[in-house]
Amino acid sequence: MEIQIIAILAAAACALPGVFLVLRGMALMCDAISHVVLLGIVVMFFIVGDLTSPWLTVGAALTGLLTVVLVEALSRTGRVKRDAAIGLVFPALFSLAIILVSHNAGGVHLDTDAVLYGELAFAPFDRMIINGHDLGARALWGMGGVFLLNVALITVFFKELKLATFDAGLAASLGFAPALVHYGLMAIVSITAVEAFDAVGSILVVALMIAPAAAAWLLTDKLGHMLFVAVGLGVAGAISGSWVAQWTDGSIAGCMATMLGVIFGLVFLFAPTRGLAFIALRRRRQKVEFAGTMLTIHLLHHEDLAEAERENRIAHLGEHFRWNDHFAMTVVRGAERDALVTRSDDGSLALTSAGRDHALEVVAQ
Amino acid sequence: MSKPPETPSKGLAIDVSDVTVAYHDRPVLWDVDLEVPAGVLLAIAGPNGAGKTTLIKTILGLVKPAAGRVLIHGAPYREQRALTAYVPQRGSVDWDFPTQALDVVMMGTYGKLGWLRRPGAKQKEIATHCLERLGMADYRHRQISQLSGGQQQRVFLARALAQDAQVYLMDEPFQGVDATTERAIIDLLRDLRSQGRTVVVVHHDLQTIPEYFDWVTLINVRRIASGPVSTTFNQENLRRTYGGRVAFLSSRENGCAEKATALSDVQTPPGEKPGWMA
Amino acid sequence: MLASVFNHTTITIATGAAVLGAVSGALGSFAVLRRQSLIGDAISHAALPGIVMAFILTGSKSPLVLMLGAGVAGLTGMLVVMLISSSNRVKYDSALGIVLSVFFGFGLVLLTWIQKRPEAAQAGLDRFLFGQAAALLRRDVWALATIAAVSFIVLAMLWKEFKILAFDRDYGVSLGLPMRRLDVLLTGLITVAIVLGLQTVGVVLMSAMIIAPASAARQWTNRLGRMVLLAGVFGAIAGVIGAVASSTIPRLPTGPSIVLAVGVIVIISLALAPGRGLISETLRRRKNHKKLRLDAVLTDLYELESQHTPETPHGHTAKAIQAMSFGEGEVLKNLLELESRGLVARFSTNHWAITEKGRHRVERLVQQLDSSAGAAH
């Protein structure tokens, strides 16, 4: 049960900054940061010697910011493009971390695999003990704390975040430094990644930040709604993921990531207005309508010309417009239904007066 | 306005009929007819988003029209690749690409080279000669990112020249170039015309059309007018193309055509979209 | 120790890693030039479920079978990315992030699932997370080398077409080349390179092997052919260093070792490459700066002197010159340098005067400035 709560908190905490990452097109920076925080954790661990010290969080957050700074610096030299810079910095730092872990961890269990997918199953065993009272899993407090922090920061800075995300120019001229917002956001992402990392590993952090937010954007336009929806979808993914994990006895993080993918897929396909299914239907309808309009204009142009006879035949349409027979029939029937054309027995078409008006209207635009 | 079908192109370099191009069912070009006789210097003009680049791309087969057809010297463009040469907009390419000016120009010879053959001395010679023609011979081993805008434009032109084509289609070659390059370009275009080749240019600067070109086509999603500059480039047509806000510096000296400057586009026609898959 | 380095196994491993590094480096150049660097990341993460699935379906752990699974999954991932990003609400990078994490997560589910099964044969599969070149057998290396060779041959045969594809796709279409098919082919080759490289570097770090050698190579040359060649070389070197290091030093995983090796190569290239390198640029800038300072001091002296009639020549102190340029230091040093070049001469102990040669220089400078200003109009 505690596992599920931790998972839910992780999902909610990640979805919030995730919305801004998705809106700003920084999804892959998130991938980079979530890997690199390991380096911060490891380095801090060597300094502090204690796996449960809060300094680890600080160190990791700093490493996250370091990544951003390095990527910026690298791309600003002009020698390396931005996307390449990301793909250079994070594997290098992550490799450093892995090597430090494998080579020096001696005695402390920092399993390199677990780095990637965490092990939620063990989280409940790591308790938070204050003054001898067992207050629950440490991860619970950590994740809960971060969630509340994110909610607080986003609420307080909502206006600034909104402005900086949608209109950086305006924000700058109004005196909010968009750069500050940028780094602030990266800091939040790092802190969240660090905390969630322990429980769910790098990869799931990426999934939790990006997938629910991207799906939320397909469902709504308003930033406030988007935040709520993203949290909701993330939590749904967390819950369903943990059920599937129980049922298949598989990796919790992996199942959660998979379920997030499934949820995203469903939204992508079936979202009202923006879902693929709706778009495809609407396109089809529009295509037929548009083709109908082209048909009326075509008939208009060829009316009263010598080759009207020939040009107005259905058969010729296929040749002129490159429609196959089936489509041509669909268009003609549609136009007939809309009372734009009439069809005579020998297969030639003629405009009705409504059809002529329609064509003239479009042509006059 | 449609023409009777089956009329042979009769010395027409480019024959566009009833071309309609739509992007997501929004028309970008609607029912455009265009007849370009061989051996002219034609400017295509119109407000932003009027479909000028799309028209060029459609003629080249880079964009598939929803309706209509294009003939180059009487045959579909597919069969006439060897006769056409394309000069894309300068901004369509990343100039930081690791290659030298000569390499880029040699690309113009690839079409005639065929699949597995490597470019050799002959291709190099052609390319060098074309660069010389554009005054860029000294820069042939220069990395292209080190060239100025005007020089880059000239490299693109040299590349097209290397194709030894009959019909040249250029997208805004005069955009953002210095005076020397502008002179070099117009020099080249006149040269090509005197050799009987056809040059079609998307041009943004109305002021220079009467001076540089002999034919003009005005489009704004639909074809507004097309023909020799002397008859076609007039107040009425420009007003119809640009929606009415056109200021005139009219100078009727010695029968020169009126010069015009468009102030703004009244209409907001749909923006041009990038090409589709061919 | 040296003798142990050159034993049979190590040579096999080193060769394998070199081949794979070379392929990723060379083909990665095209991905980098087309700004598709992070596609490598997505494809490699997406490959994981394919690898595991291939094992589940065939029970075989032969690299070829697993590579096939990886390839199929990777390409599927790519298609999904393209599908998702075609929607105008989901940006390309979000699509990459989603596919990357979801496919990988699914792969982990499969991985842990077979972990629970009686045949703990899966033990070998998680080497694909971080790579394990040590697991390469001789016959594997032969197979890999063959695939690599075929890829290189295709690359060589279609070199000029790929060049146009990467530089100016539309132009290629206008020439009549089948750009779409070439695009698919190139992406296919890159996918093959990624899938091959997974064995040494693992899924997580593969993107570095695509991007780093090419980025490093770019600093050294402005010709595509040399860049691709150099990228292959860098990839191979990194592969060898990393693989050998990891198989001789205990508890050093292969993937990270190779990535660090190539990372060092990148840093060295960025810093030291002639021309583009950052060190060379700093030196160049300093030289220019120095030259400008010298000219400025000389011009100041010229100005001072021109304020007097030529019949009463006298020198000016360094202080006077200093006053002309808002107190920039080191005027003395510059004067000494100018003196050594014969452009100024000492008038007395601390007075300086401009020489004929110096005058000519200033006049020439002014002329140059005027003419370039004129040309700008």
Side-chain angles (χ1 to χ4, degrees), chain A residues 23 25-27 31 79 81 83 88 95 99 102-103 113 117 203 207 217 221 249 251 254-255 258 261 274, chain C residues 35 37 41 89 91 93 101-102 104-106 108-109 112 116 126 130 208 212 219 250-252 259-260 276 281:
Chain A
L23 286 171
M26 309 206 68
D31 184 29
R79 310 291 196 264
K81 301 266 172 6
D83 56 337
L88 283 175
S95 299
I99 289 183
S102 315
H103 205 51
D113 291 345
Y117 48 83
I203 294 301
W217 203 6
D221 264 347
D249 202 23
S251 141
C255 289
T258 311
R274 290 179 211 101
Chain C
R35 318 261 190 124
S37 307
D41 205 19
R89 273 298 169 87
K91 295 197 189 146
D93 65 307
S101 53
V102 169
F104 187 79
F106 183 56
L108 286 178
V109 171
T112 54
K116 312 266 158 88
D126 56 6
F130 289 118
Q219 312 308 320
R251 292 200 320 252
L252 196 63
V259 170
L260 281 186
R276 256 171 100 106
E281 175 175 325

Side-chain angles (χ1 to χ4, degrees), chain B:
Chain B
M1 211 184 55
S2 181
K3 342 173 278 313
E6 315 303 10
T7 310
S9 294
K10 272 204 185 130
L12 284 179
I14 302 177
D15 183 7
V16 176
S17 52
D18 293 345
V19 156
T20 298
V21 175
Y23 185 74
H24 285 160
D25 300 329
R26 260 188 9 242
V28 177
L29 285 176
W30 192 297
D31 213 33
V32 170
D33 294 316
L34 184 59
E35 290 178 3
V36 182
V40 304
L41 257 179
L42 172 85
I44 299 183
N48 285 333
K52 308 189 292 289
T53 298
T54 310
L55 181 56
I56 296 260
K57 286 192 171 176
T58 309
I59 295 175
L60 286 161
L62 285 154
V63 165
K64 217 165 69 148
R69 63 133 174 74
V70 174
L71 296 179
I72 311 249
H73 280 289
Y77 53 76
R78 244 185 339 275
E79 297 161 28
Q80 302 286 57
R81 295 269 184 223
L83 290 184
T84 56
Y86 177 40
V87 179
Q89 284 190 19
R90 208 170 65 234
S92 64
V93 147
D94 179 6
W95 290 91
D96 199 27
F97 196 84
T99 188
Q100 303 176 345
L102 189 63
D103 283 332
V104 174
V105 178
M106 280 212 280
M107 286 181 194
T109 62
Y110 288 178
K112 297 203 160 75
L113 205 54
W115 277 102
L116 295 180
R117 311 237 329 268
R118 303 184 52 77
K122 177 157 174 242
Q123 281 69 39
K124 213 167 183 181
E125 200 186 301
I126 295 176
T128 312
H129 174 74
C130 292
L131 279 171
E132 267 165 23
R133 178 66 190 77
L134 265 309
M136 290 280 296
D138 290 335
Y139 295 88
R140 64 186 185 279
H141 290 304
R142 195 71 68 88
Q143 155 71 19
I144 54 181
S145 62
Q146 293 167 0
L147 299 174
S148 73
Q151 290 169 333
Q152 286 170 350
Q153 192 64 63
R154 282 190 264 167
V155 168
F156 260 8
L157 285 162
R159 181 176 68 175
L161 204 58
Q163 290 177 252
D164 194 26
Q166 279 301 115
V167 179
Y168 290 81
L169 294 127
M170 308 185 179
D171 199 350
E172 308 232 9
F174 292 96
Q175 177 76 273
V177 300
D178 54 275
T180 323
T181 303
E182 186 151 340
R183 274 194 297 277
I185 297 178
I186 202 60
D187 229 8
L188 176 70
L189 297 192
R190 292 200 175 127
D191 228 8
L192 291 171
R193 181 185 55 187
S194 67
Q195 293 167 13
R197 306 180 205 247
T198 315
V199 182
V200 173
V201 173
V202 171
H203 195 63
H204 64 284
D205 182 14
L206 289 178
Q207 290 274 26
T208 45
I209 288 184
E211 188 187 328
Y212 289 167
F213 298 94
D214 18 78
W215 272 55
V216 67
T217 300
L218 297 166
I219 69 170
N220 187 352
V221 184
R222 317 197 57 241
R223 186 192 93 166
I224 308 295
S226 178
V229 165
S230 50
T231 54
T232 317
F233 197 69
N234 55 44
Q235 276 196 14
E236 177 60 33
N237 285 334
L238 284 170
R239 199 173 289 131
R240 281 166 60 202
T241 311
Y242 285 85
R245 298 245 197 98
V246 188
F248 284 95
L249 311 165
S250 163
S251 52
R252 279 210 176 268
E253 296 153 8
N254 308 324
C256 288
E258 299 175 41
K259 299 193 184 211
T261 318
L263 281 182
S264 67
D265 312 336
V266 171
Q267 296 172 299
T268 41
E272 286 185 37
K273 291 291 185 273
W276 303 5
M277 278 68 72

Side-chain angles (χ1 to χ4, degrees), chain A:
Chain A
M1 188 53 206
E2 253 182 338
I3 296 177
Q4 265 161 346
I5 299 183
I6 297 173
I8 290 174
L9 286 173
C14 286
L16 291 171
V19 165
F20 294 100
L21 287 173
V22 164
L23 286 171
R24 305 177 115 208
M26 309 206 68
L28 291 164
M29 190 63 98
C30 161
D31 184 29
I33 292 181
S34 77
H35 283 83
V36 166
V37 293
L38 177 65
L39 182 62
I41 294 178
V42 171
V43 168
M44 270 303 160
F45 170 69
F46 287 149
I47 296 178
V48 181
D50 174 14
L51 256 186
T52 57
S53 154
W55 283 110
L56 260 50
T57 311
V58 172
L62 287 176
T63 328
L65 284 177
L66 178 69
T67 315
V68 179
V69 166
L70 283 176
V71 169
E72 291 287 308
L74 198 54
S75 60
R76 215 170 287 158
T77 63
R79 310 291 196 264
V80 174
K81 301 266 172 6
R82 198 150 197 290
D83 56 337
I86 297 180
L88 283 175
V89 169
F90 96 79
L93 294 178
F94 191 61
S95 299
L96 196 56
I98 297 285
I99 289 183
L100 288 174
V101 165
S102 315
H103 205 51
N104 292 317
V108 180
H109 180 70
L110 269 181
D111 184 359
T112 52
D113 291 345
V115 150
L116 287 177
Y117 48 83
E119 202 35 81
L120 261 176
F122 295 135
F125 293 108
D126 185 14
R127 313 304 286 182
M128 174 106 134
I129 315 246
I130 298 186
N131 294 336
H133 297 289
D134 178 356
L135 291 171
R138 200 193 64 79
L140 199 61
W141 287 98
M143 212 62 248
V146 171
F147 173 63
L148 290 174
L149 177 68
N150 287 351
V151 169
L153 286 173
I154 289 184
T155 315
V156 167
F157 291 108
F158 189 73
K159 276 197 322 295
E160 288 80 356
L161 282 168
K162 187 171 182 178
L163 197 59
T165 302
F166 290 110
D167 196 342
L170 182 60
S173 67
L174 284 179
F176 307 133
L180 209 59
V181 170
H182 176 68
Y183 283 107
L185 184 62
M186 291 298 126
I188 294 184
V189 169
S190 305
I191 294 175
T192 312
V194 168
E195 197 51 51
F197 182 88
D198 199 26
V200 303
S202 320
I203 294 301
L204 188 55
V205 169
V206 177
L208 281 174
M209 285 197 181
I210 307 294
W217 203 6
L218 285 168
L219 289 169
T220 174
D221 264 347
K222 301 216 192 58
L223 183 57
H225 292 181
M226 213 171 132
L227 288 164
F228 277 106
V229 172
V231 169
L233 291 176
V235 168
I239 296 179
S240 55
S242 61
W243 283 346
V244 172
Q246 267 175 357
W247 176 50
T248 62
D249 202 23
S251 141
I252 301 180
C255 289
M256 278 170 59
T258 311
M259 287 315 296
L260 284 167
V262 168
I263 291 177
F264 176 81
L266 289 172
V267 170
F268 185 74
L269 287 174
F270 300 119
T273 320
R274 290 179 211 101
L276 207 59
F278 282 83
I279 291 184
L281 280 173
R282 198 176 54 221
R283 281 239 190 104
R284 178 122 177 88
R285 201 183 55 233
Q286 273 179 351
K287 196 171 172 194
V288 174
E289 275 174 10
F290 184 72
T293 305
M294 289 210 299
L295 175 61
T296 58
I297 296 184
H298 176 82
L299 290 174
L300 180 71
H301 281 173
H302 293 95
E303 248 180 2
D304 307 327
L305 292 178
E307 13 10 90
E309 265 296 306
R310 213 184 54 92
E311 289 279 341
N312 296 351
R313 287 188 179 285
I314 298 179
H316 179 76
L317 293 181
E319 193 190 301
H320 181 81
F321 288 115
R322 287 183 240 203
W323 295 337
N324 62 38
D325 293 334
H326 174 73
F327 188 68
M329 276 318 294
T330 314
V331 174
V332 169
R333 275 199 224 106
E336 276 185 303
R337 226 183 359 241
D338 292 338
L340 296 173
V341 306
T342 54
R343 196 177 5 156
S344 61
D345 296 323
D346 63 352
S348 68
L349 301 166
L351 276 176
T352 62
S353 61
R356 193 168 304 115
D357 288 342
H358 177 74
L360 285 170
E361 207 180 288
V362 175
V363 164
Q365 277 170 10

Side-chain angles (χ1 to χ4, degrees), chain C residues 42-62:
Chain C
I43 294 182
S44 64
H45 280 79
L48 183 64
I51 296 173
V52 183
M53 196 81 87
F55 170 71
I56 293 177
L57 291 175
T58 66
S60 151
K61 279 201 300 173
S62 136

